[in-house]
Short mmCIF file of all heavy atoms in Angstrom, two decimals:
data_model
loop_
_atom_site.label_atom_id
_atom_site.label_comp_id
_atom_site.label_asym_id
_atom_site.label_seq_id
_atom_site.Cartn_x
_atom_site.Cartn_y
_atom_site.Cartn_z
N LEU H 313 59.80 -119.16 22.62
CA LEU H 313 58.76 -118.17 22.31
C LEU H 313 57.69 -118.91 21.40
O LEU H 313 56.46 -118.69 21.56
CB LEU H 313 59.32 -116.96 21.66
CG LEU H 313 59.88 -115.91 22.56
CD1 LEU H 313 60.61 -114.83 21.77
CD2 LEU H 313 58.81 -115.25 23.39
N LEU H 314 58.17 -119.62 20.48
CA LEU H 314 57.21 -120.27 19.55
C LEU H 314 56.52 -121.47 20.21
O LEU H 314 55.33 -121.73 20.02
CB LEU H 314 57.95 -120.74 18.27
CG LEU H 314 58.51 -119.57 17.38
CD1 LEU H 314 59.27 -120.16 16.21
CD2 LEU H 314 57.35 -118.79 16.88
N ALA H 315 57.26 -122.22 21.05
CA ALA H 315 56.69 -123.32 21.79
C ALA H 315 55.60 -122.87 22.71
O ALA H 315 54.56 -123.56 22.90
CB ALA H 315 57.78 -124.07 22.56
N SER H 316 55.81 -121.76 23.35
CA SER H 316 54.75 -121.29 24.30
C SER H 316 53.47 -120.94 23.60
O SER H 316 52.41 -120.82 24.20
CB SER H 316 55.30 -120.13 25.14
OG SER H 316 55.65 -119.03 24.23
N LEU H 317 53.54 -120.66 22.29
CA LEU H 317 52.37 -120.36 21.52
C LEU H 317 51.41 -121.57 21.42
O LEU H 317 50.24 -121.47 21.11
CB LEU H 317 52.67 -119.88 20.10
CG LEU H 317 53.20 -118.44 19.95
CD1 LEU H 317 53.70 -118.19 18.57
CD2 LEU H 317 52.11 -117.44 20.35
N LEU H 318 52.01 -122.74 21.66
CA LEU H 318 51.19 -124.04 21.55
C LEU H 318 50.23 -124.13 22.72
O LEU H 318 49.26 -124.84 22.65
CB LEU H 318 52.13 -125.21 21.50
CG LEU H 318 52.92 -125.40 20.17
CD1 LEU H 318 53.99 -126.46 20.38
CD2 LEU H 318 51.94 -125.84 19.04
N ILE H 319 50.59 -123.49 23.85
CA ILE H 319 49.82 -123.72 25.07
C ILE H 319 48.34 -123.43 24.95
O ILE H 319 47.46 -124.18 25.20
CB ILE H 319 50.40 -123.00 26.27
CG1 ILE H 319 51.88 -123.59 26.47
CG2 ILE H 319 49.64 -123.23 27.52
CD1 ILE H 319 52.72 -122.75 27.43
N PRO H 320 48.04 -122.17 24.39
CA PRO H 320 46.60 -121.82 24.21
C PRO H 320 45.93 -122.77 23.23
O PRO H 320 44.68 -122.96 23.30
CB PRO H 320 46.56 -120.39 23.81
CG PRO H 320 48.02 -119.98 23.65
CD PRO H 320 48.88 -121.02 24.07
N MET H 321 46.73 -123.24 22.26
CA MET H 321 46.13 -124.13 21.26
C MET H 321 45.58 -125.45 21.96
O MET H 321 44.63 -126.03 21.56
CB MET H 321 47.20 -124.56 20.22
CG MET H 321 47.92 -123.44 19.57
SD MET H 321 46.76 -122.39 18.71
CE MET H 321 47.75 -120.96 18.66
N LEU H 322 46.30 -125.87 22.96
CA LEU H 322 45.90 -127.12 23.64
C LEU H 322 44.49 -126.99 24.28
O LEU H 322 43.77 -127.95 24.29
CB LEU H 322 46.91 -127.45 24.79
CG LEU H 322 48.27 -127.92 24.28
CD1 LEU H 322 49.25 -128.11 25.48
CD2 LEU H 322 48.17 -129.17 23.45
N ALA H 323 44.19 -125.75 24.71
CA ALA H 323 42.83 -125.51 25.24
C ALA H 323 41.70 -125.80 24.19
O ALA H 323 40.61 -126.15 24.56
CB ALA H 323 42.72 -124.10 25.79
N LEU H 324 42.08 -125.67 22.99
CA LEU H 324 41.18 -126.05 21.87
C LEU H 324 41.28 -127.54 21.47
O LEU H 324 40.32 -128.23 21.39
CB LEU H 324 41.44 -125.20 20.61
CG LEU H 324 40.68 -123.87 20.52
CD1 LEU H 324 41.21 -123.19 19.22
CD2 LEU H 324 39.22 -124.03 20.41
N TRP H 325 42.55 -127.94 21.25
CA TRP H 325 42.73 -129.27 20.67
C TRP H 325 42.33 -130.39 21.64
O TRP H 325 41.98 -131.44 21.22
CB TRP H 325 44.23 -129.44 20.35
CG TRP H 325 44.62 -128.54 19.15
CD1 TRP H 325 43.77 -128.06 18.26
CD2 TRP H 325 45.92 -128.15 18.81
NE1 TRP H 325 44.50 -127.26 17.32
CE2 TRP H 325 45.82 -127.30 17.62
CE3 TRP H 325 47.16 -128.35 19.34
CZ2 TRP H 325 46.95 -126.75 17.07
CZ3 TRP H 325 48.24 -127.73 18.75
CH2 TRP H 325 48.21 -126.97 17.62
N ILE H 344 44.83 -124.95 31.77
CA ILE H 344 45.88 -124.99 30.77
C ILE H 344 46.27 -123.56 30.39
O ILE H 344 47.42 -123.15 30.36
CB ILE H 344 45.47 -125.73 29.51
CG1 ILE H 344 45.25 -127.25 29.89
CG2 ILE H 344 46.47 -125.60 28.43
CD1 ILE H 344 44.77 -128.06 28.77
N VAL H 345 45.26 -122.77 30.16
CA VAL H 345 45.53 -121.34 29.78
C VAL H 345 46.24 -120.58 30.88
O VAL H 345 47.17 -119.89 30.59
CB VAL H 345 44.14 -120.62 29.42
CG1 VAL H 345 44.42 -119.15 29.06
CG2 VAL H 345 43.51 -121.32 28.28
N ILE H 346 45.72 -120.85 32.14
CA ILE H 346 46.42 -120.12 33.24
C ILE H 346 47.88 -120.60 33.36
O ILE H 346 48.79 -119.83 33.61
CB ILE H 346 45.66 -120.35 34.57
CG1 ILE H 346 44.24 -119.83 34.53
CG2 ILE H 346 46.43 -119.78 35.76
CD1 ILE H 346 44.21 -118.33 34.27
N GLY H 348 49.62 -121.62 30.97
CA GLY H 348 50.35 -120.96 29.86
C GLY H 348 50.78 -119.54 30.17
O GLY H 348 51.82 -119.10 29.82
N LEU H 349 49.86 -118.88 30.82
CA LEU H 349 50.05 -117.51 31.21
C LEU H 349 51.27 -117.35 32.13
O LEU H 349 52.15 -116.59 31.95
CB LEU H 349 48.82 -116.92 31.90
CG LEU H 349 48.93 -115.42 32.39
CD1 LEU H 349 49.16 -114.50 31.13
CD2 LEU H 349 47.72 -115.00 33.16
N VAL H 352 54.40 -117.94 30.11
CA VAL H 352 54.83 -116.81 29.22
C VAL H 352 55.37 -115.69 30.22
O VAL H 352 56.34 -115.04 29.79
CB VAL H 352 53.66 -116.30 28.40
CG1 VAL H 352 54.02 -115.02 27.65
CG2 VAL H 352 53.19 -117.37 27.41
N ARG H 375 57.57 -108.49 20.11
CA ARG H 375 56.37 -108.83 19.32
C ARG H 375 55.85 -110.17 19.58
O ARG H 375 54.64 -110.41 19.66
CB ARG H 375 56.68 -108.56 17.84
CG ARG H 375 56.83 -107.09 17.48
CD ARG H 375 57.11 -106.97 15.99
NE ARG H 375 57.41 -105.53 15.72
CZ ARG H 375 57.77 -105.13 14.53
NH1 ARG H 375 57.87 -105.96 13.54
NH2 ARG H 375 57.95 -103.85 14.29
N LEU H 376 56.81 -111.12 19.62
CA LEU H 376 56.39 -112.54 19.84
C LEU H 376 55.81 -112.72 21.25
O LEU H 376 54.87 -113.48 21.49
CB LEU H 376 57.54 -113.50 19.63
CG LEU H 376 57.88 -113.77 18.16
CD1 LEU H 376 59.15 -114.58 18.08
CD2 LEU H 376 56.74 -114.50 17.46
N LEU H 377 56.37 -111.97 22.17
CA LEU H 377 55.76 -112.04 23.57
C LEU H 377 54.37 -111.42 23.60
O LEU H 377 53.51 -112.02 24.18
CB LEU H 377 56.73 -111.31 24.54
CG LEU H 377 57.92 -112.05 25.01
CD1 LEU H 377 58.92 -111.11 25.74
CD2 LEU H 377 57.52 -113.14 26.03
N THR H 378 54.23 -110.35 22.86
CA THR H 378 52.90 -109.71 22.77
C THR H 378 51.91 -110.72 22.13
O THR H 378 50.78 -110.87 22.55
CB THR H 378 53.01 -108.45 22.01
OG1 THR H 378 53.98 -107.58 22.57
CG2 THR H 378 51.66 -107.70 21.99
N LEU H 379 52.44 -111.42 21.07
CA LEU H 379 51.54 -112.37 20.44
C LEU H 379 51.16 -113.48 21.38
O LEU H 379 50.03 -113.99 21.40
CB LEU H 379 52.28 -112.96 19.21
CG LEU H 379 51.53 -114.02 18.41
CD1 LEU H 379 50.29 -113.38 17.74
CD2 LEU H 379 52.42 -114.60 17.32
N ASN H 380 52.15 -113.90 22.25
CA ASN H 380 51.83 -114.94 23.27
C ASN H 380 50.71 -114.48 24.16
O ASN H 380 49.77 -115.22 24.37
CB ASN H 380 53.10 -115.28 24.05
CG ASN H 380 53.83 -116.42 23.51
OD1 ASN H 380 53.43 -117.55 23.67
ND2 ASN H 380 55.01 -116.17 22.84
N TYR H 381 50.88 -113.27 24.66
CA TYR H 381 49.82 -112.76 25.58
C TYR H 381 48.49 -112.63 24.90
O TYR H 381 47.45 -112.95 25.43
CB TYR H 381 50.23 -111.39 26.17
CG TYR H 381 51.33 -111.50 27.26
CD1 TYR H 381 52.52 -110.87 27.07
CD2 TYR H 381 51.04 -112.23 28.39
CE1 TYR H 381 53.56 -110.98 27.96
CE2 TYR H 381 52.11 -112.30 29.37
CZ TYR H 381 53.35 -111.69 29.14
OH TYR H 381 54.27 -111.78 30.10
N GLY H 382 48.52 -112.07 23.67
CA GLY H 382 47.32 -111.94 22.87
C GLY H 382 46.60 -113.33 22.64
O GLY H 382 45.40 -113.44 22.71
N THR H 383 47.41 -114.29 22.29
CA THR H 383 46.91 -115.63 22.01
C THR H 383 46.22 -116.21 23.33
O THR H 383 45.12 -116.86 23.21
CB THR H 383 48.03 -116.57 21.56
OG1 THR H 383 48.66 -115.90 20.48
CG2 THR H 383 47.42 -117.87 21.06
N LEU H 384 46.87 -116.01 24.42
CA LEU H 384 46.28 -116.50 25.67
C LEU H 384 44.97 -115.74 25.95
O LEU H 384 43.96 -116.36 26.45
CB LEU H 384 47.27 -116.25 26.81
CG LEU H 384 48.44 -117.18 26.88
CD1 LEU H 384 49.55 -116.67 27.85
CD2 LEU H 384 48.04 -118.57 27.28
N ALA H 385 44.96 -114.47 25.67
CA ALA H 385 43.69 -113.70 25.93
C ALA H 385 42.57 -114.27 25.03
O ALA H 385 41.42 -114.43 25.48
CB ALA H 385 43.97 -112.20 25.61
N VAL H 386 42.90 -114.53 23.72
CA VAL H 386 41.89 -115.01 22.84
C VAL H 386 41.44 -116.41 23.34
O VAL H 386 40.23 -116.77 23.31
CB VAL H 386 42.43 -115.15 21.39
CG1 VAL H 386 41.49 -115.86 20.48
CG2 VAL H 386 42.72 -113.72 20.89
N ALA H 387 42.35 -117.22 23.84
CA ALA H 387 42.04 -118.58 24.34
C ALA H 387 41.05 -118.44 25.54
O ALA H 387 40.09 -119.23 25.65
CB ALA H 387 43.26 -119.30 24.73
N VAL H 388 41.24 -117.47 26.33
CA VAL H 388 40.38 -117.29 27.55
C VAL H 388 39.00 -116.87 27.05
O VAL H 388 37.99 -117.36 27.50
CB VAL H 388 40.93 -116.18 28.46
CG1 VAL H 388 39.92 -115.75 29.50
CG2 VAL H 388 42.19 -116.64 29.12
N VAL H 389 38.94 -116.00 26.09
CA VAL H 389 37.64 -115.54 25.55
C VAL H 389 36.94 -116.75 24.93
O VAL H 389 35.71 -116.94 25.13
CB VAL H 389 37.88 -114.40 24.50
CG1 VAL H 389 36.56 -114.13 23.75
CG2 VAL H 389 38.38 -113.15 25.19
N MET H 390 37.62 -117.56 24.14
CA MET H 390 37.00 -118.72 23.50
C MET H 390 36.51 -119.66 24.56
O MET H 390 35.42 -120.20 24.40
CB MET H 390 38.07 -119.38 22.59
CG MET H 390 38.33 -118.64 21.30
SD MET H 390 39.14 -119.57 20.04
CE MET H 390 40.61 -120.02 20.90
N ASN H 391 37.32 -119.83 25.63
CA ASN H 391 36.90 -120.71 26.69
C ASN H 391 35.57 -120.30 27.29
O ASN H 391 34.74 -121.16 27.53
CB ASN H 391 38.06 -120.81 27.68
CG ASN H 391 38.01 -122.04 28.50
OD1 ASN H 391 37.56 -123.11 28.05
ND2 ASN H 391 38.51 -122.00 29.74
N LEU H 416 37.69 -123.27 14.30
CA LEU H 416 38.74 -122.73 15.17
C LEU H 416 39.88 -123.66 15.46
O LEU H 416 41.09 -123.28 15.65
CB LEU H 416 38.15 -122.29 16.50
CG LEU H 416 37.21 -121.05 16.44
CD1 LEU H 416 36.57 -120.74 17.77
CD2 LEU H 416 38.05 -119.79 16.02
N ALA H 419 41.88 -122.89 12.30
CA ALA H 419 42.09 -121.49 11.91
C ALA H 419 42.91 -120.73 12.97
O ALA H 419 43.78 -119.92 12.63
CB ALA H 419 40.71 -120.84 11.73
N PHE H 420 42.63 -121.03 14.25
CA PHE H 420 43.29 -120.29 15.25
C PHE H 420 44.83 -120.54 15.24
O PHE H 420 45.62 -119.57 15.22
CB PHE H 420 42.72 -120.69 16.64
CG PHE H 420 43.21 -119.95 17.82
CD1 PHE H 420 43.42 -118.58 17.80
CD2 PHE H 420 43.59 -120.57 18.98
CE1 PHE H 420 43.90 -117.93 18.94
CE2 PHE H 420 44.08 -119.96 20.10
CZ PHE H 420 44.26 -118.53 20.00
N PRO H 421 45.31 -121.78 15.24
CA PRO H 421 46.73 -122.02 15.09
C PRO H 421 47.30 -121.38 13.75
O PRO H 421 48.41 -120.91 13.79
CB PRO H 421 46.84 -123.53 15.07
CG PRO H 421 45.61 -124.07 15.63
CD PRO H 421 44.50 -123.01 15.34
N THR H 422 46.57 -121.54 12.69
CA THR H 422 47.04 -121.01 11.43
C THR H 422 47.31 -119.52 11.53
O THR H 422 48.37 -119.01 11.11
CB THR H 422 46.01 -121.26 10.31
OG1 THR H 422 45.77 -122.63 10.24
CG2 THR H 422 46.54 -120.73 8.97
N LEU H 423 46.38 -118.83 12.09
CA LEU H 423 46.55 -117.34 12.22
C LEU H 423 47.67 -116.98 13.18
O LEU H 423 48.47 -116.08 12.89
CB LEU H 423 45.23 -116.71 12.71
CG LEU H 423 44.10 -116.64 11.68
CD1 LEU H 423 42.87 -116.07 12.32
CD2 LEU H 423 44.52 -115.79 10.45
N VAL H 424 47.69 -117.68 14.30
CA VAL H 424 48.73 -117.36 15.30
C VAL H 424 50.18 -117.65 14.74
O VAL H 424 51.05 -116.86 14.83
CB VAL H 424 48.45 -118.15 16.58
CG1 VAL H 424 49.65 -118.09 17.54
CG2 VAL H 424 47.22 -117.62 17.30
N PHE H 425 50.30 -118.90 14.24
CA PHE H 425 51.66 -119.21 13.74
C PHE H 425 52.01 -118.46 12.44
O PHE H 425 53.18 -118.19 12.22
CB PHE H 425 51.80 -120.73 13.57
CG PHE H 425 51.99 -121.43 14.88
CD1 PHE H 425 50.93 -122.07 15.50
CD2 PHE H 425 53.18 -121.42 15.51
CE1 PHE H 425 51.08 -122.70 16.71
CE2 PHE H 425 53.38 -122.02 16.75
CZ PHE H 425 52.33 -122.63 17.34
N GLY H 426 50.95 -118.15 11.61
CA GLY H 426 51.16 -117.31 10.48
C GLY H 426 51.76 -115.93 10.89
O GLY H 426 52.67 -115.47 10.33
N THR H 427 51.13 -115.42 11.96
CA THR H 427 51.60 -114.09 12.43
C THR H 427 53.04 -114.20 13.00
O THR H 427 53.85 -113.33 12.75
CB THR H 427 50.63 -113.59 13.57
OG1 THR H 427 49.31 -113.59 13.07
CG2 THR H 427 51.00 -112.17 14.03
N ALA H 428 53.30 -115.30 13.73
CA ALA H 428 54.64 -115.38 14.35
C ALA H 428 55.65 -115.54 13.18
O ALA H 428 56.72 -114.95 13.31
CB ALA H 428 54.66 -116.73 15.18
N MET H 431 56.31 -112.26 11.64
CA MET H 431 57.15 -111.37 12.50
C MET H 431 58.64 -111.77 12.28
O MET H 431 59.52 -110.84 12.22
CB MET H 431 56.73 -111.54 13.94
CG MET H 431 55.47 -110.93 14.34
SD MET H 431 55.00 -111.30 16.00
CE MET H 431 53.54 -110.28 16.25
#
Side-chain angles (χ1 to χ4, degrees):
Chain H
L313 277 170
L314 294 175
S316 59
L317 284 173
L318 288 167
I319 299 170
M321 308 301 158
L322 289 176
L324 269 178
W325 290 340
I344 295 177
V345 177
I346 297 300
L349 180 63
V352 175
R375 286 178 187 179
L376 282 173
L377 278 168
T378 307
L379 181 65
N380 266 287
Y381 286 119
T383 309
L384 285 166
V386 173
V388 169
V389 170
M390 285 193 303
N391 202 27
L416 287 174
F420 185 45
T422 303
L423 288 177
V424 168
F425 283 100
T427 307
M431 286 175 173

